[in-house]
Amino acid sequence: MLFTILIVVQALVAAALVTVILMQQSEGSGITGGLNPGGLMSASGAANFLTRATGALAVLFVVLSIALAALASVQNTAPQIDTSLAHKPVAQQTAPAQPAQPKPSSVPLADQPATTPHQ
């Protein structure tokens, strides 16, 4: 539950960070650097606020990232692997073992000499 709340807060902080960065006036001389010197956020007070907001949101984002990583490592349990769909190897089909039977003798039973017990 806490993990989910922190992820939502981090997503909001990330969106706010992107918004604050995009609102800042470019100081470089890139494609639009010299075209509009009197832009929407040209006042020094607004620029200082956006700079401080960017720094605070960046620090908050990094702290939340570290907290989420620590929380994920603590809550990490052994993975429960579902093996119900696993491919089971087919065992080699062997003939069932049959009990050893004595070999029939080649002499018919009637022709075999009778054994007499020793007296």
Side-chain angles (χ1 to χ4, degrees), residues 23-97:
M23 287 175 59
Q24 292 182 14
Q25 182 179 3
S26 175
E27 294 179 12
S29 60
I31 295 175
T32 61
L35 297 179
N36 190 7
L40 179 65
M41 291 287 187
S42 63
S44 64
N48 284 337
F49 171 74
L50 290 175
T51 303
R52 291 180 186 202
T54 303
L57 287 172
V59 168
L60 185 60
F61 184 81
V62 170
V63 168
L64 281 172
S65 297
I66 293 171
L68 283 170
L71 191 60
S73 68
V74 169
Q75 289 183 351
N76 192 12
T77 59
Q80 300 294 331
I81 299 175
D82 183 16
T83 59
S84 63
L85 298 176
H87 176 69
K88 296 179 182 176
V90 178
Q92 290 184 357
Q93 305 244 345
T94 59

